[in-house]
Amino acid sequence: MDEDEAQRVASTLRRLGIRGIVSPEDLDNPSGQWRVYDSTDPAARRDITDEVLAIVAGMSRKTGPARGFVVPIPR
């Protein structure tokens, strides 16, 4: 994921009422894997990606294979 994609994911999470900060797993490697955290502080943050994915999955009526962040867009 790149910065633009991360901003779109963060925006969608906000629209869905889901808290979280989308950030690279390794701050020195923004081209690597991105996760959702509960805080902007790298020393104190907790990875909540699995919780967020479970919430999003519960909102979605569709099921099927998914990779990375699959966020349903409310219509």
Side-chain angles (χ1 to χ4, degrees):
M1 179 179 330
D2 63 25
E3 183 74 25
D4 184 53
E5 292 169 321
Q7 288 177 357
R8 284 185 281 168
V9 169
S11 175
T12 301
L13 293 178
R14 280 192 303 276
R15 280 195 312 258
L16 294 172
I18 301 171
R19 66 179 183 87
I21 307 299
V22 181
S23 176
E25 190 171 49
D26 177 359
L27 295 175
D28 294 329
N29 182 17
S31 64
Q33 187 168 358
W34 288 61
R35 309 290 290 174
V36 180
Y37 296 98
D38 65 347
S39 168
T40 57
D41 180 3
R45 69 185 185 181
R46 184 175 65 87
D47 184 348
I48 59 169
T49 304
D50 292 338
E51 295 168 32
V52 170
L53 288 174
I55 291 168
V56 170
M59 293 176 157
S60 176
R61 292 186 200 131
K62 296 180 181 181
T63 60
R67 180 174 178 214
F69 287 96
V70 178
V71 181
I73 305 296
R75 295 181 187 235

